[in-house]
Amino acid sequence: VKPAASLAIATAAVALALPASAEFAKPEDAIKYRQSALFVMAQHFGRIGAMVNGRAPYDGAAAVTSAEIVADMSKLPWAGFEPGTDKGGNTRAKPEIWSAPAKFKENSEKLPVETIKLLAAAKMGNLDTLKTAFANTAGVCKSCHDTYRKD
Amino acid sequence: VKPAASLAIATAAVALALPASAEFAKPEDAIKYRQSALFVMAQHFGRIGAMVNGRAPYDGAAAVTSAEIVADMSKLPWAGFEPGTDKGGNTRAKPEIWSAPAKFKENSEKLPVETIKLLAAAKMGNLDTLKTAFANTAGVCKSCHDTYRKD
């Protein structure tokens, strides 16, 4: 492979690995977007957590509503980590997100997979099932935070 | 009707008119929640706006994706306006939201109705149809902001 072709292939690979850029008008918007989506998700995930941890009474319908919102929201934050958004707002995101984007993408894609299971568990209407799915989802949150979020 | 029964009826009516209280740990969380949901929605609504206003090329698939998120998000902010959240954070919400909650609720319920039409329009894949639905939705946003948001 000639150098020019090799560069073209490398560029194409990067284009596939990274989210489409310029989706946000400015880095602050991307940062606020991902934080907003994560905050809305966390509020609803926390309500399920309160039920499974006994801090709130188990309410099957409310658990499903929250799990639906968690599942929807879990797909959104990642687009907000577009290149150039490591700075420009009040962010705790670590440089590893952008220095090894394929690894970050692989990690971030685990969340929607897990939250679909959480929603399925909520729909079963069984607190023990919900407890297990909640713990598995919380594990995915924690793993990503441990690696990619500053203390 | 005796006074005690009358009070019970009045209390029940208020309970129906207002969102369930104590959904959020503190007023700041409710304020941040509604602002977060509105921000995520606005980002995606703005992308559709850029297409219909000619500031961005029309991308049918991207319009549907954004319209789906707008439709989902349009249901969320209202729970964040629970009683006692007129203060406690950086909010531009006007007191009328809480002094005449039934009217605010009636207004807020117009948005999900309109965003479902926006999504249907996006799915038709026709820019003129999308333009009309976008304008109608924007009108609902503006009407509510004019009445309930401080400058």
Side-chain angles (χ1 to χ4, degrees), chain B residues 70-112:
Chain B
V70 167
D72 282 344
M73 303 307 298
S74 70
K75 294 177 264 176
L76 302 186
W78 324 115
F81 291 94
E82 64 178 27
T85 63
D86 53 328
K87 291 185 191 70
N90 188 13
T91 178
R92 293 158 70 192
K94 284 190 186 172
E96 285 80 356
I97 293 168
W98 297 277
S99 62
K103 185 117 181 55
F104 177 67
K105 189 169 186 288
E106 190 190 318
N107 264 283
S108 67
E109 284 168 352
K110 288 178 188 166
L111 191 64

Side-chain angles (χ1 to χ4, degrees), chain A residues 23-24 33 43-44 47, chain B residues 23-24 33 43-44 47 72:
Chain A
E23 280 199 286
F24 297 93
Y33 178 89
Q43 284 291 313
H44 289 279
R47 288 180 200 176
Chain B
E23 281 199 283
F24 298 93
Y33 178 88
Q43 285 292 313
H44 289 280
R47 288 180 200 175
D72 282 344

Side-chain angles (χ1 to χ4, degrees), chain B residues 69-150:
Chain B
I69 297 170
V70 167
D72 282 344
M73 303 307 298
S74 70
K75 294 177 264 176
L76 302 186
W78 324 115
F81 291 94
E82 64 178 27
T85 63
D86 53 328
K87 291 185 191 70
N90 188 13
T91 178
R92 293 158 70 192
K94 284 190 186 172
E96 285 80 356
I97 293 168
W98 297 277
S99 62
K103 185 117 181 55
F104 177 67
K105 189 169 186 288
E106 190 190 318
N107 264 283
S108 67
E109 284 168 352
K110 288 178 188 166
L111 191 64
V113 172
E114 215 56 49
T115 59
I116 284 291
K117 293 184 201 164
L118 178 70
L119 176 55
K123 285 180 174 169
M124 288 182 66
N126 177 288
L127 185 55
D128 283 330
T129 309
L130 186 62
K131 209 172 278 194
T132 305
F134 176 84
N136 290 341
T137 309
V140 172
C141 297
K142 186 181 184 306
S143 159
C144 196
H145 289 164
D146 286 351
T147 314
Y148 294 111
R149 191 175 71 171
K150 287 173 206 156

